[in-house]
Amino acid sequence: MVLNKVLKLFCLVKKKDTKKKASAPHPTVNVTNNSILDPVSTGTGTVQLVQKHVPECSSVISSMTMREYGSESDGYNLFNQFDVVQDFSDHYYASHSPGKTSKDWAKAIQNEWKLLQKDLPESIYVRVYEDRIDLLRAAIVGPAGTPYHDGLFFFDVRFPSEYPQCPPKVHYHSGGLRLNPNLYESGKVCLSLLNTWWGTGCEKWGKSKSTTLQVLVSIQGLVLNDKPYFNEPGNKNSANTAPGEKNSLAYNQTAFILSCRTMLYSLRNPPKHFECLVARHFHERERVILDACSAYISGTVVGSSSGDGTKYPRNNRTFADFKKSLEKYTELLRKDLATNHTRFLKVTRDSIASDEIAAVSSAADEIAVSACG
């Protein structure tokens, strides 16, 4: 309902046809070309969309949006993967006016909303804004088997007036840290699909075939990969060599430390509309994160399972510094994760209250509609 109301403001939603139309299913999004990165990735390059689940927390708007586009799980404390919200005041591009736009621009954004609501993988969450449809915010969970595992990474997106002829603008919430060659301290995201790095053909943005969903999945699967050291242009040729692999291990150590610092930053400064997600995510992953830190301190290679026996070589000079630094940030994480327990309980209570209000509002709407009928 809310989503349709927003789109009606832009003259996009027509009256429903009395004849039922068959809708074409969206294909699974697979990212198979590593060269859309800055400049490459040594990972598999394929990102499989997995079955959705619905974590905790919800809002009134969310409930209405889900009724419009599909069902949601019963129960309290739902955090929908896609939702329409209002307050955009802390968005990086809040002060950027969308400028002169067209119906085609708004129609393209409507299509993006529908695709995101339908096909988001379970580890990516999106919020769009009722009063600024040119803005979007996404949270991406760091993939397992990488130095970014269990982290939360936030991105602000803007659709310029030239969209979809040109790609969206994307800003990474770095917290002043550069934990990946593609993600700068300034917030710049280096990706061929965004036209911020070289590329040819399908590696570049195409107005009729490229989507924001592809951008988000590419960041998760190709940027936040298991060997980000080789994303750097000058390091590509050293892949699968002894010196290159040694440097890659050292880079992953640094990347994990910075990922831990990013966790601390997110716990202390959760972006608007993602407070529930931050509290819920780190409540659920607390034990896993601290166990991983302990394993890495004991010598387990970053990104590998603590039980697979993969250890750093003896006399590894970089490990001593890494261990000392990780011990420091593990203690900080332990304290902040403990504080998060209280925050999580409060968020849960608030979400229950919100769901109860939504239920009452929904019942009132249905009674009103019945009365009018």
Side-chain angles (χ1 to χ4, degrees):
M1 290 182 180
V2 170
L3 186 54
N4 267 0
K5 289 178 181 177
V6 173
L7 296 172
K8 282 178 181 177
L9 295 176
F10 295 87
C11 304
L12 287 177
V13 180
K14 300 178 181 179
K15 293 183 178 179
K16 291 185 178 179
D17 196 341
T18 55
K19 296 182 180 180
K20 187 176 181 180
K21 297 181 181 179
S23 58
H26 294 293
T28 299
V29 177
N30 289 323
V31 181
T32 56
N33 196 326
N34 290 338
S35 61
I36 64 173
L37 286 176
D38 169 13
V40 296
S41 165
T42 57
T44 61
T46 300
V47 181
Q48 297 291 342
L49 295 190
V50 292
Q51 185 178 359
K52 299 177 188 177
H53 79 290
V54 188
E56 295 198 337
C57 306
S58 182
S59 68
V60 176
I61 292 177
S62 171
S63 298
M64 297 174 70
T65 303
M66 289 299 289
R67 287 204 304 274
E68 178 72 24
Y69 287 97
S71 62
E72 61 181 356
S73 301
D74 294 333
Y76 292 118
N77 306 324
L78 303 175
F79 189 91
N80 293 313
Q81 287 182 266
F82 180 90
D83 203 353
V84 183
V85 295
Q86 293 183 327
D87 186 359
F88 55 87
S89 59
D90 74 330
H91 196 282
Y92 180 78
Y93 295 109
S95 63
H96 290 71
S97 170
K100 186 177 181 180
T101 59
S102 65
K103 287 186 178 181
D104 288 341
W105 172 84
K107 181 70 174 178
I109 295 175
Q110 177 197 21
N111 291 335
E112 291 279 17
W113 283 22
K114 290 181 177 179
L115 181 61
L116 289 166
Q117 195 276 336
K118 184 177 185 296
D119 285 343
L120 276 174
E122 65 173 5
S123 51
I124 298 178
Y125 302 84
V126 167
R127 294 293 177 267
V128 295
Y129 299 89
E130 183 175 355
D131 298 324
R132 285 289 300 272
I133 70 166
D134 60 310
L135 304 181
L136 176 153
R137 173 168 288 165
I140 297 177
V141 180
T146 75
Y148 309 107
H149 66 82
D150 299 303
L152 280 178
F153 304 93
F154 294 93
F155 298 84
D156 283 358
V157 178
R158 178 174 75 91
F159 299 105
S161 58
E162 300 83 10
Y163 172 84
Q165 280 71 30
C166 69
K169 306 294 182 183
V170 180
H171 174 84
Y172 167 56
H173 287 238
S174 71
L177 306 173
R178 188 175 184 185
L179 45 64
N180 185 285
N182 299 76
L183 305 176
Y184 288 69
E185 298 97 322
S186 64
K188 177 183 178 181
V189 178
C190 218
L191 198 67
S192 290
L193 193 55
L194 295 175
N195 293 348
T196 51
W197 186 250
W198 57 266
T200 59
C202 63
E203 301 164 7
K204 304 285 282 186
W205 178 267
K207 65 178 182 179
S208 61
K209 58 183 176 58
S210 300
T211 67
T212 302
L213 177 61
Q214 289 176 333
V215 171
L216 298 177
V217 173
S218 295
I219 292 172
Q220 184 182 54
L222 300 180
V223 173
L224 301 174
N225 63 57
D226 59 337
K227 295 183 178 180
Y229 173 78
F230 299 112
N231 290 6
E232 193 69 52
N235 301 334
K236 176 182 177 180
N237 294 332
S238 66
N240 300 316
T241 68
E245 295 301 323
K246 180 180 179 181
N247 290 336
S248 179
L249 287 175
Y251 188 94
N252 279 7
Q253 291 174 345
T254 301
F256 184 72
I257 292 292
L258 295 176
S259 184
C260 288
R261 293 176 63 182
T262 301
M263 292 181 196
L264 290 167
Y265 182 79
S266 297
L267 282 163
R268 297 169 183 177
N269 305 279
K272 282 184 184 298
H273 310 298
F274 287 87
E275 297 91 346
C276 295
L277 177 63
V278 170
R280 164 73 174 178
H281 173 80
F282 287 112
H283 173 76
E284 288 190 339
R285 304 305 294 172
E286 174 182 357
R287 191 69 266 156
V288 174
I289 292 168
L290 294 178
D291 285 349
C293 289
S294 297
Y296 300 155
I297 288 171
S298 70
T300 299
V301 171
V302 169
S304 63
S305 169
S306 59
D308 69 4
T310 306
K311 300 284 186 178
Y312 288 104
R314 292 185 178 182
N315 303 320
N316 185 306
R317 288 182 295 179
T318 63
F319 177 70
D321 293 337
F322 167 67
K323 178 180 178 181
K324 182 178 180 180
S325 184
L326 183 54
E327 287 174 340
K328 170 187 173 182
Y329 287 108
T330 298
E331 287 308 307
L332 291 174
L333 273 173
R334 197 184 306 278
K335 292 177 181 178
D336 279 37
L337 289 170
T339 302
N340 186 58
H341 283 306
T342 303
R343 184 182 302 116
F344 172 72
L345 292 174
K346 181 180 184 303
V347 164
T348 301
R349 287 194 297 268
D350 291 347
S351 67
I352 290 174
S354 177
D355 282 345
E356 290 174 343
I357 293 172
V360 172
S361 176
S362 176
D365 288 344
E366 291 176 1
I367 291 172
V369 171
S370 299
C372 291

PDB file of all heavy atoms in Angstrom, residues 148-164:
ATOM      1  N   TYR A 148      36.194 -10.666   6.107  1.00  0.00           N
ATOM      2  CA  TYR A 148      35.079  -9.770   6.406  1.00  0.00           C
ATOM      3  C   TYR A 148      33.893 -10.508   7.023  1.00  0.00           C
ATOM      4  O   TYR A 148      32.828  -9.908   7.215  1.00  0.00           O
ATOM      5  CB  TYR A 148      34.635  -9.067   5.117  1.00  0.00           C
ATOM      6  CG  TYR A 148      35.789  -8.434   4.384  1.00  0.00           C
ATOM      7  CD1 TYR A 148      36.275  -8.998   3.195  1.00  0.00           C
ATOM      8  CD2 TYR A 148      36.435  -7.308   4.887  1.00  0.00           C
ATOM      9  CE1 TYR A 148      37.366  -8.435   2.532  1.00  0.00           C
ATOM     10  CE2 TYR A 148      37.512  -6.745   4.224  1.00  0.00           C
ATOM     11  CZ  TYR A 148      37.983  -7.314   3.045  1.00  0.00           C
ATOM     12  OH  TYR A 148      39.052  -6.756   2.401  1.00  0.00           O
ATOM     13  N   HIS A 149      34.069 -11.795   7.348  1.00  0.00           N
ATOM     14  CA  HIS A 149      32.959 -12.599   7.832  1.00  0.00           C
ATOM     15  C   HIS A 149      32.316 -11.987   9.077  1.00  0.00           C
ATOM     16  O   HIS A 149      32.984 -11.452   9.952  1.00  0.00           O
ATOM     17  CB  HIS A 149      33.412 -14.033   8.116  1.00  0.00           C
ATOM     18  CG  HIS A 149      34.389 -14.167   9.252  1.00  0.00           C
ATOM     19  ND1 HIS A 149      34.016 -14.201  10.572  1.00  0.00           N
ATOM     20  CD2 HIS A 149      35.750 -14.295   9.259  1.00  0.00           C
ATOM     21  CE1 HIS A 149      35.077 -14.345  11.346  1.00  0.00           C
ATOM     22  NE2 HIS A 149      36.151 -14.392  10.573  1.00  0.00           N
ATOM     23  N   ASP A 150      30.994 -12.032   9.103  1.00  0.00           N
ATOM     24  CA  ASP A 150      30.177 -11.592  10.238  1.00  0.00           C
ATOM     25  C   ASP A 150      30.162 -10.082  10.450  1.00  0.00           C
ATOM     26  O   ASP A 150      29.559  -9.608  11.409  1.00  0.00           O
ATOM     27  CB  ASP A 150      30.611 -12.282  11.531  1.00  0.00           C
ATOM     28  CG  ASP A 150      30.462 -13.798  11.448  1.00  0.00           C
ATOM     29  OD1 ASP A 150      29.339 -14.249  11.185  1.00  0.00           O
ATOM     30  OD2 ASP A 150      31.462 -14.514  11.627  1.00  0.00           O
ATOM     31  N   GLY A 151      30.791  -9.334   9.565  1.00  0.00           N
ATOM     32  CA  GLY A 151      30.733  -7.881   9.667  1.00  0.00           C
ATOM     33  C   GLY A 151      29.483  -7.337   8.990  1.00  0.00           C
ATOM     34  O   GLY A 151      28.818  -8.027   8.208  1.00  0.00           O
ATOM     35  N   LEU A 152      29.143  -6.093   9.300  1.00  0.00           N
ATOM     36  CA  LEU A 152      28.060  -5.387   8.625  1.00  0.00           C
ATOM     37  C   LEU A 152      28.662  -4.177   7.915  1.00  0.00           C
ATOM     38  O   LEU A 152      29.363  -3.373   8.541  1.00  0.00           O
ATOM     39  CB  LEU A 152      26.992  -4.920   9.614  1.00  0.00           C
ATOM     40  CG  LEU A 152      25.959  -5.945  10.089  1.00  0.00           C
ATOM     41  CD1 LEU A 152      25.021  -5.292  11.104  1.00  0.00           C
ATOM     42  CD2 LEU A 152      25.165  -6.515   8.925  1.00  0.00           C
ATOM     43  N   PHE A 153      28.359  -4.036   6.632  1.00  0.00           N
ATOM     44  CA  PHE A 153      28.941  -2.967   5.832  1.00  0.00           C
ATOM     45  C   PHE A 153      27.810  -2.183   5.173  1.00  0.00           C
ATOM     46  O   PHE A 153      26.937  -2.762   4.517  1.00  0.00           O
ATOM     47  CB  PHE A 153      29.896  -3.561   4.790  1.00  0.00           C
ATOM     48  CG  PHE A 153      30.967  -4.422   5.414  1.00  0.00           C
ATOM     49  CD1 PHE A 153      30.787  -5.790   5.535  1.00  0.00           C
ATOM     50  CD2 PHE A 153      32.125  -3.855   5.926  1.00  0.00           C
ATOM     51  CE1 PHE A 153      31.755  -6.597   6.134  1.00  0.00           C
ATOM     52  CE2 PHE A 153      33.099  -4.643   6.532  1.00  0.00           C
ATOM     53  CZ  PHE A 153      32.907  -6.020   6.640  1.00  0.00           C
ATOM     54  N   PHE A 154      27.830  -0.858   5.362  1.00  0.00           N
ATOM     55  CA  PHE A 154      26.718  -0.009   4.956  1.00  0.00           C
ATOM     56  C   PHE A 154      27.088   0.858   3.762  1.00  0.00           C
ATOM     57  O   PHE A 154      28.196   1.415   3.690  1.00  0.00           O
ATOM     58  CB  PHE A 154      26.271   0.869   6.119  1.00  0.00           C
ATOM     59  CG  PHE A 154      25.669   0.081   7.253  1.00  0.00           C
ATOM     60  CD1 PHE A 154      26.447  -0.348   8.317  1.00  0.00           C
ATOM     61  CD2 PHE A 154      24.321  -0.245   7.240  1.00  0.00           C
ATOM     62  CE1 PHE A 154      25.901  -1.088   9.354  1.00  0.00           C
ATOM     63  CE2 PHE A 154      23.761  -0.982   8.272  1.00  0.00           C
ATOM     64  CZ  PHE A 154      24.550  -1.408   9.333  1.00  0.00           C
ATOM     65  N   PHE A 155      26.110   1.003   2.856  1.00  0.00           N
ATOM     66  CA  PHE A 155      26.313   1.761   1.625  1.00  0.00           C
ATOM     67  C   PHE A 155      25.106   2.658   1.372  1.00  0.00           C
ATOM     68  O   PHE A 155      23.957   2.221   1.479  1.00  0.00           O
ATOM     69  CB  PHE A 155      26.497   0.816   0.436  1.00  0.00           C
ATOM     70  CG  PHE A 155      27.703  -0.080   0.557  1.00  0.00           C
ATOM     71  CD1 PHE A 155      27.632  -1.272   1.272  1.00  0.00           C
ATOM     72  CD2 PHE A 155      28.915   0.277  -0.029  1.00  0.00           C
ATOM     73  CE1 PHE A 155      28.742  -2.097   1.405  1.00  0.00           C
ATOM     74  CE2 PHE A 155      30.028  -0.545   0.099  1.00  0.00           C
ATOM     75  CZ  PHE A 155      29.947  -1.737   0.822  1.00  0.00           C
ATOM     76  N   ASP A 156      25.368   3.926   1.041  1.00  0.00           N
ATOM     77  CA  ASP A 156      24.323   4.863   0.646  1.00  0.00           C
ATOM     78  C   ASP A 156      24.338   5.009  -0.866  1.00  0.00           C
ATOM     79  O   ASP A 156      25.410   5.153  -1.480  1.00  0.00           O
ATOM     80  CB  ASP A 156      24.530   6.227   1.307  1.00  0.00           C
ATOM     81  CG  ASP A 156      24.093   6.234   2.764  1.00  0.00           C
ATOM     82  OD1 ASP A 156      23.606   5.190   3.246  1.00  0.00           O
ATOM     83  OD2 ASP A 156      24.270   7.269   3.426  1.00  0.00           O
ATOM     84  N   VAL A 157      23.154   4.988  -1.467  1.00  0.00           N
ATOM     85  CA  VAL A 157      23.014   4.993  -2.926  1.00  0.00           C
ATOM     86  C   VAL A 157      22.132   6.159  -3.347  1.00  0.00           C
ATOM     87  O   VAL A 157      21.164   6.503  -2.663  1.00  0.00           O
ATOM     88  CB  VAL A 157      22.393   3.660  -3.409  1.00  0.00           C
ATOM     89  CG1 VAL A 157      22.198   3.661  -4.923  1.00  0.00           C
ATOM     90  CG2 VAL A 157      23.269   2.471  -2.981  1.00  0.00           C
ATOM     91  N   ARG A 158      22.496   6.765  -4.469  1.00  0.00           N
ATOM     92  CA  ARG A 158      21.670   7.843  -5.037  1.00  0.00           C
ATOM     93  C   ARG A 158      21.465   7.588  -6.528  1.00  0.00           C
ATOM     94  O   ARG A 158      22.399   7.237  -7.242  1.00  0.00           O
ATOM     95  CB  ARG A 158      22.343   9.203  -4.848  1.00  0.00           C
ATOM     96  CG  ARG A 158      21.557  10.372  -5.451  1.00  0.00           C
ATOM     97  CD  ARG A 158      22.202  11.697  -5.110  1.00  0.00           C
ATOM     98  NE  ARG A 158      23.406  11.953  -5.876  1.00  0.00           N
ATOM     99  CZ  ARG A 158      23.430  12.590  -7.048  1.00  0.00           C
ATOM    100  NH1 ARG A 158      22.309  13.033  -7.591  1.00  0.00           N
ATOM    101  NH2 ARG A 158      24.577  12.794  -7.659  1.00  0.00           N
ATOM    102  N   PHE A 159      20.229   7.769  -6.982  1.00  0.00           N
ATOM    103  CA  PHE A 159      19.921   7.657  -8.399  1.00  0.00           C
ATOM    104  C   PHE A 159      19.916   9.061  -9.003  1.00  0.00           C
ATOM    105  O   PHE A 159      18.985   9.834  -8.757  1.00  0.00           O
ATOM    106  CB  PHE A 159      18.555   7.004  -8.609  1.00  0.00           C
ATOM    107  CG  PHE A 159      18.466   5.596  -8.062  1.00  0.00           C
ATOM    108  CD1 PHE A 159      17.768   5.339  -6.885  1.00  0.00           C
ATOM    109  CD2 PHE A 159      19.079   4.543  -8.716  1.00  0.00           C
ATOM    110  CE1 PHE A 159      17.676   4.050  -6.382  1.00  0.00           C
ATOM    111  CE2 PHE A 159      18.992   3.252  -8.216  1.00  0.00           C
ATOM    112  CZ  PHE A 159      18.304   3.006  -7.055  1.00  0.00           C
ATOM    113  N   PRO A 160      20.939   9.418  -9.789  1.00  0.00           N
ATOM    114  CA  PRO A 160      20.984  10.762 -10.379  1.00  0.00           C
ATOM    115  C   PRO A 160      19.896  10.930 -11.433  1.00  0.00           C
ATOM    116  O   PRO A 160      19.273   9.944 -11.867  1.00  0.00           O
ATOM    117  CB  PRO A 160      22.387  10.817 -11.003  1.00  0.00           C
ATOM    118  CG  PRO A 160      22.756   9.391 -11.257  1.00  0.00           C
ATOM    119  CD  PRO A 160      22.101   8.589 -10.175  1.00  0.00           C
ATOM    120  N   SER A 161      19.664  12.168 -11.843  1.00  0.00           N
ATOM    121  CA  SER A 161      18.584  12.441 -12.800  1.00  0.00           C
ATOM    122  C   SER A 161      18.829  11.769 -14.147  1.00  0.00           C
ATOM    123  O   SER A 161      17.889  11.547 -14.905  1.00  0.00           O
ATOM    124  CB  SER A 161      18.425  13.956 -12.990  1.00  0.00           C
ATOM    125  OG  SER A 161      19.639  14.534 -13.448  1.00  0.00           O
ATOM    126  N   GLU A 162      20.094  11.425 -14.452  1.00  0.00           N
ATOM    127  CA  GLU A 162      20.415  10.765 -15.725  1.00  0.00           C
ATOM    128  C   GLU A 162      20.165   9.254 -15.677  1.00  0.00           C
ATOM    129  O   GLU A 162      20.250   8.576 -16.698  1.00  0.00           O
ATOM    130  CB  GLU A 162      21.888  11.015 -16.105  1.00  0.00           C
ATOM    131  CG  GLU A 162      22.266  12.459 -16.284  1.00  0.00           C
ATOM    132  CD  GLU A 162      22.592  13.149 -14.961  1.00  0.00           C
ATOM    133  OE1 GLU A 162      22.692  12.413 -13.934  1.00  0.00           O
ATOM    134  OE2 GLU A 162      22.747  14.377 -14.936  1.00  0.00           O
ATOM    135  N   TYR A 163      19.904   8.737 -14.487  1.00  0.00           N
ATOM    136  CA  TYR A 163      19.660   7.309 -14.325  1.00  0.00           C
ATOM    137  C   TYR A 163      18.414   6.907 -15.118  1.00  0.00           C
ATOM    138  O   TYR A 163      17.451   7.680 -15.155  1.00  0.00           O
ATOM    139  CB  TYR A 163      19.468   7.006 -12.832  1.00  0.00           C
ATOM    140  CG  TYR A 163      19.016   5.605 -12.537  1.00  0.00           C
ATOM    141  CD1 TYR A 163      19.939   4.571 -12.446  1.00  0.00           C
ATOM    142  CD2 TYR A 163      17.664   5.307 -12.391  1.00  0.00           C
ATOM    143  CE1 TYR A 163      19.524   3.283 -12.206  1.00  0.00           C
ATOM    144  CE2 TYR A 163      17.247   4.019 -12.147  1.00  0.00           C
ATOM    145  CZ  TYR A 163      18.171   3.016 -12.066  1.00  0.00           C
ATOM    146  OH  TYR A 163      17.756   1.737 -11.838  1.00  0.00           O
ATOM    147  N   PRO A 164      18.359   5.749 -15.794  1.00  0.00           N
ATOM    148  CA  PRO A 164      19.345   4.663 -15.804  1.00  0.00           C
ATOM    149  C   PRO A 164      20.374   4.730 -16.926  1.00  0.00           C
ATOM    150  O   PRO A 164      21.069   3.751 -17.165  1.00  0.00           O
ATOM    151  CB  PRO A 164      18.453   3.437 -15.977  1.00  0.00           C
ATOM    152  CG  PRO A 164      17.350   3.929 -16.877  1.00  0.00           C
ATOM    153  CD  PRO A 164      17.098   5.352 -16.461  1.00  0.00           C
TER     154      PRO A 164
END
